[in-house]
Every structure is written in C-alpha cells, then in structure tokens.
Amino acid sequence: MNDLLDKKCVPCEGGVKAFDISEIHKYQKKVDGWQIIQNDNKVYLLEKKFEFKNFLESQKFVNEVGRVSEKEGHHPDIIFGWGYAKINITTHAIEGLSENDFILAAKIDNITNA
C-alpha cells in the first residue's frame, strides 16, 4: 500500500520551500500516472486526466474528490464533463509542490481503485 495514503495533509500557509525538481521526481514515483507540468507562472503542478463511461460517473467521481479534498483541507482545481475529469494539484501558498499534493493525489487515485 502507498505510504502516502496513511498520511494527512498538513495545513500550509507559506513560509516553507516548495519541492525542488529532484524531490518532485522522487515523490512522483509514489503516484500513478500523474504528470508534472508548469503553469504560465512556472509553478509546478500535478495533473491527471481520468476517463469515465458517461457524465454521471464523472460527476460522481468529482463529488468524491471534493469530499476527500475537504477532509484533507487541500483542494485541487477540477475540470470535468461527459466522460472525463482533469485534476490539477499544487500548494498555492508556496507556489509549488509539497508532500500534501502527493498525499492528495494518492487519495484521489484510491477513489478509482476502491
């Protein structure tokens, strides 16, 4: 089992450094299929697209992501529609990635594996 599933997101209000690229790649190995991208401001994000059979399955998944995110106190950006959901995760307070982002990614993956 992924050790990230046993962890809880820790509130972040800044004051800590975002992961550097080597730390990002170390953690990326712990989550399946999440891409590392940079936005227009060169902030690193985790991104993954999930596919479903129809709109209702997409919506059900997004609602569950919302429930998990609220429980963790860490909220991703979500775009969804008929048969898909795209999730972007970053720690806005530090303008980059932290362990919290990978914890949330693992827990989101666990939704589809449950």
Side-chain angles (χ1 to χ4, degrees), residues 4-112:
L4 294 173
L5 290 174
D6 297 327
K7 295 186 177 187
K8 174 118 176 79
C9 291
V10 178
C12 179
E13 296 178 10
V16 296
K17 285 189 162 260
F19 281 174
D20 63 26
I21 196 66
S22 65
E23 195 75 5
I24 290 170
H25 286 301
K26 179 178 125 183
Y27 272 82
Q28 186 182 22
K29 294 174 185 173
K30 297 181 179 193
V31 293
D32 187 38
W34 289 85
Q35 302 299 313
I36 306 300
I37 63 167
Q38 284 183 300
N39 67 14
D40 293 339
N41 296 323
K42 303 296 183 199
V43 173
Y44 286 108
L45 310 162
L46 289 174
E47 180 176 271
K48 187 171 182 180
K49 186 172 181 182
F50 297 83
E51 295 185 4
F52 302 95
K53 293 179 184 172
N54 55 47
F55 183 83
L56 288 177
E57 285 188 19
S58 299
Q59 185 178 32
K60 181 180 173 186
F61 171 74
V62 166
N63 288 340
E64 187 61 18
V65 169
R67 187 191 66 74
V68 169
S69 299
E70 194 63 23
K71 183 177 178 184
E72 292 299 317
H74 193 46
H75 305 91
D77 294 327
I78 303 170
I79 299 169
F80 84 103
W82 196 99
Y84 77 94
K86 184 170 80 170
I87 310 287
N88 286 329
I89 307 172
T90 193
T91 302
H92 297 286
I94 61 172
E95 296 184 343
L97 294 172
S98 70
E99 185 178 50
N100 286 343
D101 303 303
F102 293 92
I103 291 169
L104 185 58
K107 291 183 178 193
I108 289 170
D109 282 341
N110 198 48
I111 293 168
T112 60

